[in-house]
Amino acid sequence: MAAATVFAIISLSTLCLTDAQNVGFSVELIHRDSIKSPFYNPFETTFDRVTNAFRRSFSRVHRFYPNSITTTEANPDIMVNTGEYLMNISLGTPSFSVVALADTGSDLIWTQCSPCSQCFKQDAPLFDPTKSSTYRKMSCSSNSCENIQGGTCASPTDTSCIYSVTYGDNSFSKGDIAYDILTLGSTTGQAVALPDTIIGCGNNNAGTFSGKASGIIGLGGGEISLINQLGSPINGKFSYCLLPMTQIGKSSKMNFGSNAIVSGPGTVSTPLIEKSPTTFYFLTLKAISVGTQRIEFKGSSFGTDEGNIVIDSSTTLTLLPSDFYSQLESAMDSQFNGIRAQGPQGFNLCYVAIHEFEAPEVTVHFANADVKLKTLNTFVKVDDSTACFAFSPAQNIAIYGNLAQMNFLIGYDTKSQTVSFKPTDCSKN
C-alpha cells in the first residue's frame, strides 16, 4: 500500500511518456568540472581542468578503435572515466537519485547495484533493486534479451538476462539486464518518467572506473540507448547547446522531442549516416578550410566516403588522421600571425596568447553543410599566456569533439537522419 501511495504522488507531478505523444522537454546538462558536479575540485585551476579534459580525449579515443572491446557486450561501451557531461536521473519506485555521465558514444543506461560481489569504490550509495517495487529482471527467454547485443544467459540454468563488458585496459562490468522506471528532472520542474526502461544493473565491476559518478546514460544510436527507449513521444529528436569552456560553471541544456527542433537563420544540416556500430553518430566530412585554403579529407578508419567521422559530445578535442592533421596544422600556422609557444604534451601547435586574439577562420565542410568555427572552437588557453590548437592527430581516427561544438545548437533527428548546426549563444538558449 505504501509503494502504491508513493507512485500516485509521483504521477501527479510527472509526465509519463507512455501516455504522451509529440512531447517536448529539456534537462540540465552539467559539465564535469562545474560546481554542481561530483567531479568538481575547488583546488584545480581553469588550466588544470582544460589539461585534464585534453588527457581524457586522448584516453577516450581508444574506444573507437576496432576490437578494443570484447564481443560479449550489451553495447559498444559504458565508460572508463572519460565523460565530460552529467545528467541527474532517478531509478525505481520510490525514486533513487543517480548522477550519470551523459554519453553520445554509448548505449546502455547503467549503474552499480547492491548487493555487489565486486564493485569499484563509489562515493554515492548503490542502487538497491530489491527496494524498488517496479524493478524486474529481464528473462533469458525474452526476445529483448536475444535482440540486445551481448545479452545472454551465463548457463542453461539461468533465468535472467545478463551482460558482460571488457575494455582494452581490462576494466570490466558484469550484471543483470532489467526493467525499471527512469525519471528525468526537466528544466520546467515537471519530471518526465519512462516506465519499463531497459537498464544494466552492475554487480561485478572493476578497473579504471571513477567513483564520482553513479552510472551512465547512453545517448548513442543503438536499440537500448535512452534516445531509442524514449520512443515515439520524442519522434527521434534531441539537441544540445554546449557552453564555452570559460562558462563551465553554468549548466548547458539538452532538449528532447518538440523542444529539440533546430531551424532558422544560419542553420545547416548534414546527413546522419547509419552504419556499424549503430551506437556512433557518423557524419561525412568532405574537407576543412583555413581561410581560403581548402584541404580535402580522404577518409579515416571509419571509411573513405560516407560516414567517415564520428560526432561525439564526450571527446573534448577534434581528432583527425595524422596525415590530414599535418596539412591542417601547416595551413593554420602559415596564416596565423603569432609567436609559437610550447604547450602541454600532446599539443603540436600553440602560440603566445597574453591578450585576446582572433585566429584564421576555420570552416568544416560536412556533406551539404559548411560549419564556420570561431576562435573559441579552434583554440583554447592552456595557461595565462598560451593558447593551443583544439585539433590533434590520432592515427587514422576522426572524431568531431565538443570544443568544436560549443556555442552551436546541435540537433539530431534520427527519423529524418540529419544533424543540424545553428550558431547560438548557448548562455541565452
Side-chain angles (χ1 to χ4, degrees), residues 82-170:
T82 59
E84 296 299 311
Y85 294 92
L86 301 104
M87 291 166 60
N88 292 310
I89 65 169
S90 295
L91 294 174
T93 307
S95 61
F96 180 88
S97 296
V98 174
V99 179
L101 284 154
D103 188 9
T104 52
S106 66
D107 290 330
L108 188 66
I109 301 164
W110 180 90
T111 190
Q112 290 200 118
C113 290
S114 174
C116 197
S117 62
Q118 178 178 328
C119 275
F120 57 89
K121 181 176 173 55
Q122 179 177 302
D123 295 348
L126 299 183
F127 175 60
D128 185 349
T130 64
K131 295 181 179 179
S132 172
S133 63
T134 44
Y135 178 91
R136 58 190 174 91
K137 292 181 180 180
M138 181 182 289
S139 169
C140 271
S141 59
S142 71
N143 290 332
S144 295
C145 184
E146 294 178 2
N147 292 335
I148 293 173
Q149 184 180 5
T152 185
C153 299
S155 71
T157 59
D158 280 342
T159 58
S160 59
C161 187
I162 64 169
Y163 73 92
S164 177
V165 183
T166 303
Y167 301 92
D169 65 355
N170 292 320

Coordinates of all heavy atoms in Angstrom, one line a residue, residues 82-170:
T82 N 35.9 8.9 -18.7 CA 36.2 9.8 -19.8 C 35.1 10.8 -20.2 O 35.3 11.6 -21.1 CB 36.7 9.1 -21.0 OG1 35.7 8.2 -21.5 CG2 38.0 8.3 -20.8
G83 N 33.9 10.7 -19.6 CA 32.8 11.5 -20.0 C 33.0 13.0 -19.5 O 33.7 13.2 -18.5
E84 N 32.4 13.9 -20.2 CA 32.5 15.3 -19.9 C 31.2 15.9 -19.3 O 31.3 17.0 -18.7 CB 32.9 16.1 -21.2 CG 34.3 15.7 -21.7 CD 35.4 15.9 -20.7 OE1 35.5 17.1 -20.2 OE2 36.2 15.0 -20.5
Y85 N 30.1 15.4 -19.6 CA 28.8 15.9 -19.1 C 28.0 14.9 -18.3 O 28.1 13.7 -18.5 CB 28.0 16.4 -20.3 CG 28.7 17.6 -21.0 CD1 29.5 17.4 -22.1 CD2 28.5 18.9 -20.6 CE1 30.2 18.4 -22.7 CE2 29.1 20.0 -21.2 CZ 30.0 19.7 -22.3 OH 30.6 20.8 -22.9
L86 N 27.2 15.5 -17.4 CA 26.4 14.6 -16.5 C 24.9 15.0 -16.5 O 24.6 16.2 -16.8 CB 26.9 14.7 -15.1 CG 28.4 14.3 -14.8 CD1 29.2 15.5 -14.6 CD2 28.5 13.4 -13.6
M87 N 24.1 14.1 -16.2 CA 22.7 14.3 -16.0 C 22.2 13.7 -14.7 O 22.7 12.7 -14.3 CB 21.9 13.7 -17.2 CG 22.1 14.4 -18.5 SD 21.4 13.4 -19.9 CE 19.7 13.3 -19.5
N88 N 21.2 14.4 -14.1 CA 20.5 13.8 -12.9 C 19.3 13.0 -13.3 O 18.4 13.5 -14.0 CB 20.1 15.0 -12.0 CG 21.3 15.7 -11.4 OD1 22.2 15.1 -10.8 ND2 21.3 17.0 -11.4
I89 N 19.3 11.7 -12.9 CA 18.2 10.9 -13.2 C 17.8 10.2 -11.9 O 18.5 10.3 -10.9 CB 18.5 9.8 -14.3 CG1 19.6 8.8 -13.8 CG2 18.9 10.4 -15.6 CD1 19.8 7.6 -14.6
S90 N 16.6 9.5 -11.9 CA 16.2 8.7 -10.8 C 15.8 7.4 -11.4 O 15.2 7.3 -12.5 CB 15.0 9.3 -10.1 OG 15.4 10.6 -9.5
L91 N 16.0 6.3 -10.6 CA 15.6 5.0 -11.0 C 14.7 4.4 -9.9 O 14.8 4.7 -8.7 CB 16.8 4.0 -11.1 CG 17.8 4.3 -12.2 CD1 19.0 3.4 -12.1 CD2 17.1 4.1 -13.6
G92 N 13.7 3.6 -10.3 CA 12.9 2.8 -9.4 C 11.7 3.5 -8.7 O 11.5 4.7 -9.0
T93 N 11.0 2.8 -7.9 CA 9.9 3.3 -7.1 C 10.0 2.7 -5.7 O 10.0 1.5 -5.5 CB 8.5 2.8 -7.7 OG1 8.5 3.1 -9.1 CG2 7.4 3.4 -7.0
P94 N 10.2 3.6 -4.7 CA 10.4 5.0 -4.8 C 11.7 5.4 -5.6 O 12.6 4.6 -5.7 CB 10.4 5.5 -3.4 CG 10.9 4.3 -2.6 CD 10.4 3.1 -3.3
S95 N 11.7 6.6 -6.0 CA 12.8 7.0 -6.9 C 14.1 7.1 -6.1 O 14.2 7.5 -5.0 CB 12.5 8.4 -7.6 OG 12.4 9.4 -6.6
F96 N 15.2 6.7 -6.8 CA 16.6 6.7 -6.2 C 17.4 7.5 -7.2 O 17.6 7.3 -8.4 CB 17.1 5.3 -6.2 CG 18.5 5.1 -5.6 CD1 18.7 5.0 -4.2 CD2 19.6 5.1 -6.4 CE1 20.0 4.9 -3.7 CE2 20.9 5.0 -5.9 CZ 21.1 4.9 -4.6
S97 N 18.1 8.6 -6.6 CA 18.8 9.5 -7.4 C 20.1 8.9 -7.9 O 20.9 8.3 -7.1 CB 19.1 10.8 -6.6 OG 17.9 11.5 -6.3
V98 N 20.4 9.2 -9.2 CA 21.7 8.7 -9.8 C 22.3 9.9 -10.6 O 21.6 10.5 -11.4 CB 21.5 7.5 -10.7 CG1 22.8 7.2 -11.5 CG2 21.0 6.3 -9.9
V99 N 23.5 10.2 -10.3 CA 24.2 11.2 -11.1 C 25.0 10.5 -12.2 O 25.9 9.7 -11.9 CB 25.2 12.1 -10.3 CG1 25.9 13.1 -11.2 CG2 24.5 12.8 -9.2
A100 N 24.6 10.6 -13.4 CA 25.1 9.7 -14.5 C 25.8 10.6 -15.6 O 25.4 11.7 -15.9 CB 23.9 9.0 -15.1
L101 N 26.8 10.0 -16.2 CA 27.5 10.6 -17.3 C 26.7 10.4 -18.5 O 26.3 9.3 -18.9 CB 28.9 9.9 -17.5 CG 29.9 10.4 -16.4 CD1 31.0 9.3 -16.3 CD2 30.6 11.7 -16.8
A102 N 26.4 11.5 -19.2 CA 25.7 11.5 -20.5 C 26.7 11.3 -21.6 O 27.6 12.0 -21.7 CB 24.9 12.8 -20.7
D103 N 26.4 10.3 -22.5 CA 27.4 9.9 -23.4 C 26.8 9.5 -24.8 O 26.1 8.5 -24.9 CB 28.2 8.7 -22.9 CG 29.4 8.3 -23.7 OD1 29.7 9.0 -24.6 OD2 29.9 7.2 -23.4
T104 N 27.1 10.3 -25.8 CA 26.6 10.0 -27.1 C 27.4 8.9 -27.8 O 27.1 8.5 -28.9 CB 26.6 11.3 -28.0 OG1 28.0 11.9 -28.0 CG2 25.6 12.3 -27.6
G105 N 28.4 8.4 -27.1 CA 29.3 7.3 -27.6 C 29.0 6.0 -27.0 O 29.8 5.1 -27.1
S106 N 27.8 5.9 -26.3 CA 27.5 4.6 -25.7 C 25.9 4.4 -25.7 O 25.2 5.4 -25.9 CB 28.0 4.4 -24.3 OG 27.5 5.3 -23.4
D107 N 25.5 3.2 -25.4 CA 24.0 2.9 -25.5 C 23.4 2.6 -24.1 O 22.3 3.1 -23.8 CB 23.7 1.8 -26.4 CG 24.0 2.1 -27.9 OD1 23.8 3.3 -28.3 OD2 24.3 1.2 -28.7
L108 N 24.1 1.7 -23.4 CA 23.4 1.2 -22.2 C 23.3 2.2 -21.1 O 24.2 3.0 -20.8 CB 24.3 0.0 -21.6 CG 23.7 -0.8 -20.5 CD1 22.5 -1.6 -20.9 CD2 24.8 -1.8 -20.0
I109 N 22.1 2.3 -20.4 CA 21.9 3.0 -19.2 C 22.3 2.1 -18.0 O 21.7 1.1 -17.9 CB 20.4 3.5 -19.1 CG1 20.0 4.3 -20.3 CG2 20.2 4.2 -17.8 CD1 18.5 4.4 -20.5
W110 N 23.3 2.5 -17.3 CA 24.0 1.5 -16.4 C 24.3 2.2 -15.1 O 24.7 3.3 -15.0 CB 25.2 1.1 -17.1 CG 26.1 0.1 -16.5 CD1 26.0 -1.3 -16.5 CD2 27.2 0.4 -15.6 NE1 27.1 -1.8 -15.8 CE2 27.8 -0.9 -15.3 CE3 27.8 1.6 -15.2 CZ2 28.9 -0.9 -14.4 CZ3 29.0 1.5 -14.4 CH2 29.5 0.2 -14.0
T111 N 24.2 1.4 -14.0 CA 24.7 1.8 -12.7 C 25.1 0.6 -11.9 O 24.7 -0.5 -12.2 CB 23.6 2.6 -11.9 OG1 24.1 3.2 -10.8 CG2 22.4 1.7 -11.6
Q112 N 26.0 0.9 -10.9 CA 26.3 -0.2 -10.0 C 25.1 -0.5 -9.0 O 24.4 0.4 -8.7 CB 27.5 0.2 -9.1 CG 28.8 0.3 -9.9 CD 30.0 0.2 -9.0 OE1 30.8 -0.7 -9.1 NE2 30.2 1.1 -8.1
C113 N 25.0 -1.8 -8.7 CA 23.8 -2.2 -7.9 C 24.3 -3.0 -6.7 O 25.3 -3.6 -6.7 CB 22.9 -3.0 -8.7 SG 22.0 -2.1 -10.0
S114 N 23.4 -2.9 -5.7 CA 23.6 -3.7 -4.4 C 22.6 -4.8 -4.4 O 21.5 -4.7 -4.8 CB 23.4 -2.7 -3.2 OG 23.4 -3.4 -2.0
P115 N 23.1 -6.0 -3.9 CA 24.4 -6.3 -3.4 C 25.4 -6.5 -4.5 O 25.0 -6.9 -5.7 CB 24.1 -7.7 -2.7 CG 23.0 -8.3 -3.4 CD 22.1 -7.1 -3.8
C116 N 26.6 -6.3 -4.3 CA 27.7 -6.3 -5.3 C 28.8 -7.2 -4.9 O 29.4 -7.0 -3.8 CB 28.2 -4.8 -5.5 SG 29.1 -4.6 -7.0
S117 N 29.0 -8.2 -5.7 CA 30.1 -9.2 -5.4 C 31.5 -8.6 -5.5 O 32.4 -8.9 -4.8 CB 30.0 -10.4 -6.3 OG 30.1 -10.0 -7.7
Q118 N 31.6 -7.6 -6.5 CA 32.9 -6.9 -6.7 C 32.5 -5.6 -7.3 O 32.1 -5.5 -8.5 CB 33.9 -7.7 -7.5 CG 35.2 -6.9 -7.8 CD 36.2 -7.7 -8.6 OE1 36.2 -8.9 -8.5 NE2 37.0 -7.0 -9.3
C119 N 32.7 -4.5 -6.6 CA 32.4 -3.2 -7.1 C 33.6 -2.2 -6.9 O 34.3 -2.3 -5.9 CB 31.2 -2.6 -6.4 SG 29.6 -3.1 -7.2
F120 N 33.7 -1.3 -7.8 CA 34.7 -0.2 -7.6 C 34.1 0.8 -6.5 O 32.9 0.9 -6.4 CB 35.1 0.5 -8.9 CG 33.9 1.1 -9.6 CD1 33.5 2.4 -9.3 CD2 33.3 0.4 -10.6 CE1 32.4 3.0 -10.0 CE2 32.2 1.0 -11.3 CZ 31.8 2.3 -11.0
K121 N 35.0 1.4 -5.8 CA 34.5 2.3 -4.7 C 33.7 3.5 -5.3 O 34.2 4.2 -6.2 CB 35.7 2.9 -3.9 CG 35.3 3.8 -2.8 CD 36.5 4.2 -2.0 CE 36.2 5.2 -0.9 NZ 35.1 4.8 0.0
Q122 N 32.5 3.7 -4.8 CA 31.6 4.7 -5.3 C 31.2 5.6 -4.2 O 30.9 5.2 -3.1 CB 30.3 4.0 -5.9 CG 29.3 5.0 -6.5 CD 28.1 4.3 -7.1 OE1 28.3 3.5 -8.0 NE2 26.9 4.5 -6.6
D123 N 31.3 6.9 -4.4 CA 31.0 7.9 -3.3 C 29.6 7.9 -2.9 O 29.2 8.0 -1.7 CB 31.4 9.3 -3.8 CG 32.9 9.5 -4.0 OD1 33.7 8.5 -3.6 OD2 33.3 10.5 -4.5
A124 N 28.6 7.8 -3.9 CA 27.2 7.8 -3.6 C 26.7 6.4 -3.2 O 27.4 5.4 -3.6 CB 26.4 8.3 -4.8
P125 N 25.6 6.3 -2.5 CA 25.0 4.9 -2.2 C 24.7 4.2 -3.5 O 24.4 4.7 -4.6 CB 23.8 5.2 -1.5 CG 23.9 6.6 -1.0 CD 24.8 7.3 -2.0
L126 N 24.8 2.8 -3.4 CA 24.5 2.0 -4.6 C 23.0 1.8 -4.7 O 22.2 1.8 -3.7 CB 25.1 0.6 -4.4 CG 26.6 0.5 -4.3 CD1 27.1 -0.9 -4.3 CD2 27.3 1.2 -5.5
F127 N 22.5 1.7 -5.9 CA 21.1 1.4 -6.2 C 20.8 0.0 -5.7 O 21.5 -1.0 -6.1 CB 20.8 1.6 -7.7 CG 19.4 1.2 -8.1 CD1 18.3 1.8 -7.5 CD2 19.2 0.2 -9.0 CE1 17.0 1.4 -7.9 CE2 17.9 -0.2 -9.4 CZ 16.8 0.4 -8.9
D128 N 19.8 -0.2 -4.9 CA 19.4 -1.5 -4.4 C 18.0 -1.9 -5.1 O 17.0 -1.4 -4.7 CB 19.2 -1.5 -2.9 CG 18.9 -2.8 -2.3 OD1 18.6 -3.8 -3.1 OD2 18.9 -3.0 -1.1
P129 N 18.1 -2.8 -6.1 CA 16.9 -3.1 -6.8 C 15.8 -3.8 -6.0 O 14.6 -3.7 -6.3 CB 17.4 -4.0 -7.9 CG 18.7 -4.6 -7.4 CD 19.3 -3.5 -6.6
T130 N 16.2 -4.4 -4.9 CA 15.2 -5.0 -4.0 C 14.2 -4.0 -3.3 O 13.2 -4.4 -2.9 CB 15.8 -5.9 -2.9 OG1 16.6 -5.1 -2.0 CG2 16.7 -7.0 -3.6
K131 N 14.7 -2.8 -3.3 CA 13.8 -1.7 -2.7 C 12.9 -1.0 -3.7 O 12.2 -0.1 -3.3 CB 14.7 -0.7 -2.0 CG 15.5 -1.4 -0.8 CD 16.3 -0.3 -0.1 CE 17.0 -1.0 1.1 NZ 17.9 0.0 1.9
S132 N 13.0 -1.4 -5.0 CA 12.2 -0.8 -6.0 C 11.0 -1.7 -6.4 O 11.3 -2.8 -6.8 CB 13.0 -0.5 -7.2 OG 12.2 -0.1 -8.3
S133 N 9.8 -1.3 -6.2 CA 8.7 -2.1 -6.5 C 8.4 -2.3 -8.0 O 7.7 -3.2 -8.4 CB 7.4 -1.5 -5.9 OG 7.1 -0.2 -6.4
T134 N 9.1 -1.5 -8.8 CA 8.9 -1.6 -10.3 C 10.1 -2.2 -11.0 O 10.1 -2.3 -12.2 CB 8.7 -0.1 -10.8 OG1 9.7 0.8 -10.3 CG2 7.3 0.4 -10.5
Y135 N 11.1 -2.7 -10.2 CA 12.3 -3.4 -10.8 C 11.9 -4.8 -11.1 O 11.3 -5.5 -10.3 CB 13.4 -3.3 -9.9 CG 14.7 -4.0 -10.3 CD1 15.7 -3.3 -11.0 CD2 14.9 -5.3 -10.1 CE1 16.8 -3.9 -11.5 CE2 16.1 -6.0 -10.5 CZ 17.0 -5.2 -11.2 OH 18.2 -5.9 -11.6
R136 N 12.3 -5.3 -12.3 CA 12.2 -6.7 -12.6 C 13.3 -7.1 -13.6 O 13.6 -6.3 -14.6 CB 10.8 -7.0 -13.2 CG 10.4 -6.3 -14.5 CD 9.0 -6.5 -14.8 NE 8.5 -5.7 -15.9 CZ 8.6 -6.1 -17.2 NH1 9.0 -7.3 -17.5 NH2 8.2 -5.2 -18.1
K137 N 13.9 -8.2 -13.4 CA 15.0 -8.7 -14.3 C 14.4 -9.1 -15.6 O 13.2 -9.6 -15.7 CB 15.7 -9.9 -13.6 CG 16.5 -9.5 -12.4 CD 17.2 -10.7 -11.9 CE 18.0 -10.4 -10.6 NZ 18.8 -11.6 -10.1
M138 N 15.2 -9.0 -16.7 CA 14.7 -9.4 -18.0 C 15.0 -10.9 -18.1 O 16.0 -11.5 -17.7 CB 15.5 -8.7 -19.1 CG 15.2 -9.1 -20.5 SD 16.2 -8.3 -21.7 CE 15.6 -6.6 -21.6
S139 N 14.0 -11.6 -18.6 CA 14.1 -13.1 -18.7 C 15.0 -13.5 -19.9 O 15.1 -12.8 -20.9 CB 12.7 -13.6 -19.0 OG 12.7 -15.0 -19.4
C140 N 15.7 -14.6 -19.7 CA 16.6 -15.1 -20.7 C 15.8 -15.5 -22.0 O 16.3 -15.4 -23.1 CB 17.2 -16.4 -20.2 SG 18.8 -16.1 -19.4
S141 N 14.5 -15.9 -21.8 CA 13.7 -16.4 -22.9 C 13.1 -15.2 -23.7 O 12.4 -15.5 -24.7 CB 12.6 -17.3 -22.4 OG 11.8 -16.7 -21.4
S142 N 13.2 -14.0 -23.2 CA 12.5 -12.9 -23.9 C 13.2 -12.5 -25.2 O 14.4 -12.7 -25.3 CB 12.5 -11.7 -23.0 OG 13.7 -11.1 -22.8
N143 N 12.4 -12.0 -26.1 CA 13.0 -11.6 -27.4 C 14.0 -10.4 -27.2 O 15.0 -10.3 -27.9 CB 11.9 -11.2 -28.4 CG 11.1 -12.4 -28.9 OD1 11.6 -13.5 -28.9 ND2 9.8 -12.1 -29.2
S144 N 13.7 -9.6 -26.2 CA 14.5 -8.4 -25.9 C 15.9 -8.9 -25.5 O 16.9 -8.2 -26.0 CB 13.9 -7.6 -24.8 OG 12.7 -7.1 -25.1
C145 N 16.0 -10.0 -24.8 CA 17.4 -10.4 -24.4 C 18.2 -10.9 -25.6 O 19.3 -10.6 -25.7 CB 17.3 -11.6 -23.4 SG 18.9 -12.2 -22.8
E146 N 17.5 -11.6 -26.5 CA 18.1 -12.0 -27.7 C 18.6 -10.9 -28.6 O 19.6 -10.9 -29.3 CB 17.2 -13.0 -28.5 CG 16.9 -14.3 -27.7 CD 15.9 -15.1 -28.5 OE1 15.5 -14.7 -29.6 OE2 15.6 -16.2 -28.0
N147 N 17.7 -9.8 -28.6 CA 18.0 -8.7 -29.5 C 19.1 -7.7 -29.0 O 19.6 -6.9 -29.8 CB 16.7 -7.9 -29.8 CG 15.7 -8.7 -30.6 OD1 16.1 -9.6 -31.3 ND2 14.4 -8.4 -30.4
I148 N 19.3 -7.7 -27.7 CA 20.3 -6.9 -27.1 C 21.7 -7.5 -27.5 O 21.9 -8.6 -27.2 CB 20.2 -6.7 -25.6 CG1 18.9 -5.9 -25.3 CG2 21.4 -6.0 -25.0 CD1 18.6 -5.9 -23.8
Q149 N 22.5 -6.7 -28.1 CA 23.9 -7.2 -28.4 C 24.6 -7.6 -27.2 O 24.9 -6.8 -26.3 CB 24.7 -6.1 -29.2 CG 26.0 -6.6 -29.6 CD 26.8 -5.5 -30.4 OE1 26.4 -4.4 -30.4 NE2 27.9 -5.8 -30.9
G150 N 24.9 -8.9 -27.1 CA 25.6 -9.4 -25.9 C 24.7 -9.9 -24.8 O 25.2 -10.5 -23.8
G151 N 23.4 -9.6 -24.9 CA 22.5 -10.2 -23.9 C 22.5 -11.7 -23.9 O 22.3 -12.3 -25.0
T152 N 22.7 -12.3 -22.8 CA 22.8 -13.8 -22.8 C 22.5 -14.4 -21.5 O 22.3 -13.6 -20.5 CB 24.3 -14.2 -23.3 OG1 24.3 -15.6 -23.4 CG2 25.3 -13.7 -22.2
C153 N 22.5 -15.7 -21.4 CA 22.4 -16.4 -20.1 C 23.8 -17.0 -19.8 O 24.4 -17.6 -20.7 CB 21.4 -17.5 -20.1 SG 19.7 -16.8 -20.5
A154 N 24.2 -16.9 -18.5 CA 25.5 -17.4 -18.2 C 25.6 -18.9 -18.3 O 26.6 -19.5 -18.6 CB 25.9 -17.0 -16.8
S155 N 24.5 -19.6 -18.0 CA 24.4 -21.1 -18.1 C 23.0 -21.5 -18.4 O 22.1 -20.7 -18.2 CB 24.9 -21.6 -16.7 OG 23.9 -21.4 -15.7
P156 N 22.8 -22.7 -18.8 CA 21.4 -23.2 -19.1 C 20.5 -23.1 -17.9 O 19.3 -23.1 -18.1 CB 21.7 -24.7 -19.5 CG 23.1 -24.7 -19.9 CD 23.8 -23.8 -19.0
T157 N 21.0 -23.0 -16.7 CA 20.1 -23.0 -15.5 C 19.7 -21.5 -15.2 O 18.8 -21.3 -14.4 CB 20.8 -23.6 -14.3 OG1 22.0 -22.9 -14.0 CG2 21.1 -25.1 -14.6
D158 N 20.3 -20.5 -15.8 CA 20.0 -19.1 -15.5 C 18.6 -18.8 -16.1 O 18.3 -19.2 -17.2 CB 21.0 -18.2 -16.1 CG 22.3 -18.1 -15.2 OD1 22.1 -18.5 -14.0 OD2 23.3 -17.7 -15.6
T159 N 17.9 -17.9 -15.4 CA 16.6 -17.5 -15.9 C 16.6 -16.0 -16.3 O 15.6 -15.6 -17.0 CB 15.5 -17.7 -14.9 OG1 15.9 -17.0 -13.7 CG2 15.4 -19.2 -14.5
S160 N 17.6 -15.3 -15.9 CA 17.6 -13.8 -16.2 C 18.7 -13.5 -17.2 O 19.8 -14.1 -17.3 CB 17.8 -13.0 -15.0 OG 19.0 -13.3 -14.3
C161 N 18.5 -12.4 -18.0 CA 19.4 -11.9 -19.0 C 20.6 -11.2 -18.3 O 20.4 -10.4 -17.4 CB 18.7 -11.0 -19.9 SG 19.6 -10.5 -21.4
I162 N 21.8 -11.4 -18.8 CA 23.0 -10.7 -18.2 C 23.8 -10.1 -19.3 O 23.6 -10.3 -20.5 CB 23.9 -11.7 -17.4 CG1 24.5 -12.8 -18.3 CG2 23.1 -12.4 -16.2 CD1 25.6 -13.6 -17.7
Y163 N 24.7 -9.2 -18.9 CA 25.6 -8.6 -19.8 C 27.0 -8.7 -19.2 O 27.2 -8.8 -18.0 CB 25.3 -7.1 -20.1 CG 25.6 -6.2 -18.9 CD1 26.8 -5.5 -18.8 CD2 24.6 -5.9 -17.9 CE1 27.1 -4.7 -17.8 CE2 24.9 -5.1 -16.9 CZ 26.1 -4.4 -16.8 OH 26.4 -3.6 -15.7
S164 N 28.0 -8.6 -20.1 CA 29.4 -8.6 -19.7 C 30.2 -7.8 -20.7 O 30.1 -8.0 -21.9 CB 29.9 -10.0 -19.7 OG 31.3 -10.1 -19.4
V165 N 30.9 -6.8 -20.2 CA 31.8 -5.9 -21.0 C 33.2 -5.9 -20.5 O 33.4 -5.8 -19.3 CB 31.2 -4.5 -20.9 CG1 32.0 -3.6 -21.9 CG2 29.7 -4.4 -21.3
T166 N 34.1 -6.1 -21.4 CA 35.6 -5.9 -21.0 C 36.2 -4.9 -22.0 O 35.9 -4.9 -23.2 CB 36.3 -7.3 -21.1 OG1 35.6 -8.2 -20.3 CG2 37.7 -7.1 -20.7
Y167 N 37.0 -4.0 -21.4 CA 37.7 -3.0 -22.2 C 39.1 -3.2 -22.5 O 39.7 -4.1 -21.9 CB 37.5 -1.6 -21.5 CG 36.1 -1.3 -21.2 CD1 35.5 -1.7 -20.0 CD2 35.3 -0.6 -22.1 CE1 34.2 -1.4 -19.7 CE2 34.0 -0.3 -21.9 CZ 33.4 -0.7 -20.7 OH 32.1 -0.4 -20.4
G168 N 39.7 -2.4 -23.4 CA 41.1 -2.5 -23.8 C 42.0 -2.4 -22.6 O 43.1 -3.0 -22.7
D169 N 41.6 -1.7 -21.5 CA 42.5 -1.5 -20.4 C 42.2 -2.6 -19.3 O 42.6 -2.4 -18.2 CB 42.4 -0.1 -19.8 CG 41.1 0.2 -19.3 OD1 40.1 -0.7 -19.4 OD2 40.9 1.3 -18.7
N170 N 41.4 -3.6 -19.7 CA 41.0 -4.7 -18.8 C 40.0 -4.3 -17.7 O 39.7 -5.0 -16.8 CB 42.2 -5.3 -18.1 CG 43.0 -6.1 -19.1 OD1 42.5 -6.7 -20.0 ND2 44.4 -6.0 -19.0

